[in-house]
Amino acid sequence: MKFTIKRSAFLKSLADVQRAISSRTTIPILTGIKIVANEEGLTLTGSDSDISIETFIPTTDEANALTIEKTGSIVLQARFFSEIVKKLPEENMEIEVLDHFQTLITSATASFTINGLDANNYPHLPVIDTNESFTLPVGLFKQVIGQTVIAISTHESRPILTGVNMVIENGKLLAVATDSHRLSQRVIPLETSEEQTSKKYNVIIPGKSLIELARTLDDNSSTIEMMVTENQVLFKTENMFFYSRLLEGYYPDTKRLIPDNSATEIEFNAVSLLGAIERASLLSHEGKNNVVKITINPDIVKISGNSPDVGNVQEDLDYLSVEGEPIELSFNPDYMKDALRTFGQTDIKIKFTSPVRPFILVPSENNQDFIQLITPVRTF
Amino acid sequence: MKFTIKRSAFLKSLADVQRAISSRTTIPILTGIKIVANEEGLTLTGSDSDISIETFIPTTDEANALTIEKTGSIVLQARFFSEIVKKLPEENMEIEVLDHFQTLITSATASFTINGLDANNYPHLPVIDTNESFTLPVGLFKQVIGQTVIAISTHESRPILTGVNMVIENGKLLAVATDSHRLSQRVIPLETSEEQTSKKYNVIIPGKSLIELARTLDDNSSTIEMMVTENQVLFKTENMFFYSRLLEGYYPDTKRLIPDNSATEIEFNAVSLLGAIERASLLSHEGKNNVVKITINPDIVKISGNSPDVGNVQEDLDYLSVEGEPIELSFNPDYMKDALRTFGQTDIKIKFTSPVRPFILVPSENNQDFIQLITPVRTF
């Protein structure tokens, strides 16, 4: 294998592939990046066996200045190899595989010879045995990921809750995540074929995979293809394939958790409420029980936090409207902050039913497709 | 105590004072910031007993919007209090000490009540019993600090080497630091009174203190006053007093370490050599012995690094001029990188005497006042 390439183009592809590579893998060859050169271009692959990312750099795109002088393949230690590529002195570089998988990397008068591994020993990527695919708008899908992954569980005690449940049916994609204390749910419309519309697809994608996927998706690409098999999902963009294993098992039925009535409704600007929650949580973080209390009365709405060792805080809140019963309840301010951040600048409604039942946050406009739910903390 | 102040002005002062405060102190009150309000303004103090910083916010400067409504003093937990001030909702804030050292912090509708401590229990600052002071230009003195602290020892086995030795005599300040593997020395002219010129001042200032001092000095102030007593040094700017204890003991005689002749001299641009050393050290960092080799021949100058497990690197160097004997020696590339960074963009000369004797780096212009010295690593 021998090729020359523009370093910046190569680095971008390397960075994407590296997202899949973990230094803590138990399979030594997976600390490496597989590089395959053929007439059409270069294919880079990285994997931690849960996630695999494959990027392609075509010779046809002149911006890459890619010339394949000799086809072939090699596996190079990822972290180390990227460091070398980053620090090379010139804009162009050459890579050549010598005998015994030794690989020569040159740029200007600098040359590195590093030990590579036989690419034939690199694990095969999952086989995606379906032709069915869904087309998702990149921007909207990244939003869905950002809004739901906040609620995945980080504990391995119930592995199924470390994923986001995605259900496609009736021309809609519903994404939901819960760690059993809070829940995030987002619904978006989906263009499906007539055949797909009559079927139901139900998968649980590891939250970690979705977070990495969102990071690799650049906002310039407009759509992404999603293909689902029994135990794998593949996301395809023009020059990248992103594979993730699926979580096996049944996702809990979350519909019944979402209250469908409310006793108190209050409207805030999400950003201004977030500021107040951040202040109130400064003190609760110091104490043993991390809770903030909200009190809604007809004439005043306030939050307060208290940490006996340090002190207490209270703030009258600016709200846009309020209706229903007076209520007072306590919640984990970290859950509230995570939830509020997913709304950006918009105005939101918070709907309470009782001090011991979950309450929900929805956008003031369009309150059907996006819900954040938080379970209060009992303090009595 | 009660006052109102512009939050941004208060935050700046808080941040400076906090540099002296360590969360690992064994004296609980030193995790706090002392605030004293009198008719002239606010004085903030932070200390870890090695370093003490005192800042002053005058009422006369209208930009601070400081109004003292009631004089007094309090000690407030530093990290926590700064977090509160940072997150307050409005540009102005009020602080009021209530009964039992409880302190009320308000801004718009948000109010915090936190537990403070009696300022009378806060340790006294060192007494500086001298009237003699030296005036140092801030920019130049920060340069002196940056150029010398790289060579201080980080091991406590020889505490004296964790400091920078500053010697003032004959109208000059000489700063030198060494960890016994490398040495940095900088000389700058100093305006001294006639009486001072005839005396010699010799102090060892902890490197850590100088690093913090450099961070607090803002480039807008033009000069700083330095006052030296037996075991303390005080640096004064308009609104800040920075105290540091001195290290006690005798600093080794470093003059004899600096070679005064050379067998080989080579000239480089510091930035371009730094790039090459960074590349060469990529491999040496992976291996057991972190060394890079330089080979100087009449026709070629190259560096190389080698790590049997990973591979090797070599690079022909761009140099500006070379004279003297051919030489080959190995060195720790981390020392070389630290040293090269202190030269910025300039051209430098490296002077070698033998493969086993220290070599020095000096600016191509003015090679008397600034020297970096590195001891080679014996590889045979």
Side-chain angles (χ1 to χ4, degrees), chain A residues 13-65:
Chain A
S13 254
L14 267 185
D16 281 343
V17 167
Q18 260 192 297
R19 289 189 194 285
I21 298 172
S22 161
S23 55
R24 285 173 301 173
T25 177
T26 51
I27 308 168
I29 203 169
L30 289 187
T31 60
I33 285 182
K34 185 170 82 160
I35 305 176
V36 177
N38 63 22
E39 271 78 20
E40 284 77 45
L42 279 187
T43 305
L44 308 184
T45 310
S47 176
D48 68 355
S49 67
D50 284 347
I51 301 174
S52 301
I53 302 178
E54 195 177 278
T55 59
F56 182 67
I57 308 174
T59 50
T60 46
D61 183 348
E62 282 178 18
N64 302 326

Side-chain angles (χ1 to χ4, degrees), chain A residues 189-318:
Chain A
L190 196 66
E191 275 178 41
T192 46
S193 67
E194 203 162 309
E195 196 201 330
Q196 285 172 337
T197 311
S198 60
K199 285 205 246 173
K200 176 173 175 176
Y201 303 80
N202 190 329
V203 295
I204 307 160
I205 305 175
K208 196 172 147 284
S209 301
L210 290 171
I211 292 167
E212 290 304 335
L213 173 66
R215 286 182 184 147
T216 57
L217 290 179
D218 89 52
D219 296 321
N220 297 329
S221 30
S222 58
T223 61
I224 183 172
E225 299 288 311
M226 174 165 123
M227 300 173 86
V228 174
T229 69
E230 189 140 2
N231 52 21
Q232 288 283 333
V233 59
L234 166 61
F235 295 95
K236 284 165 72 172
T237 64
E238 194 187 349
N239 291 319
M240 182 181 73
F241 281 24
F242 186 107
Y243 298 83
S244 169
R245 77 179 170 92
L246 296 174
L247 294 173
E248 283 172 51
Y250 290 99
Y251 203 80
D253 177 22
T254 54
K255 269 200 212 83
R256 59 180 180 76
L257 298 175
I258 302 170
D260 48 12
N261 57 356
S262 69
T264 314
E265 284 194 28
I266 183 163
E267 200 176 358
F268 290 102
N269 174 268
V271 176
S272 107
L273 181 58
L274 178 58
I277 302 287
E278 281 175 340
R279 286 186 283 279
S281 68
L282 279 177
L283 277 152
S284 63
H285 273 170
E286 298 291 310
K288 278 179 211 93
N289 46 353
N290 181 23
V291 294
V292 161
K293 188 162 74 179
I294 187 165
T295 308
I296 301 176
N297 280 318
D299 52 341
I300 192 150
V301 176
K302 64 176 185 183
I303 50 171
S304 56
N306 183 22
S307 169
D309 294 347
V310 197
N312 61 68
V313 48
Q314 74 165 41
E315 180 165 350
D316 297 346
L317 297 180
D318 273 337

Side-chain angles (χ1 to χ4, degrees), chain B residues 221-253:
Chain B
S221 30
S222 59
T223 60
I224 182 170
E225 299 289 311
M226 174 164 120
M227 301 176 86
V228 174
T229 68
E230 188 138 4
N231 52 19
Q232 288 283 334
V233 59
L234 166 60
F235 296 95
K236 284 165 72 171
T237 63
E238 194 187 349
N239 290 319
M240 183 181 72
F241 281 24
F242 185 109
Y243 299 82
S244 169
R245 76 177 169 94
L246 296 173
L247 294 174
E248 283 171 49
Y250 291 100
Y251 203 78
D253 176 22

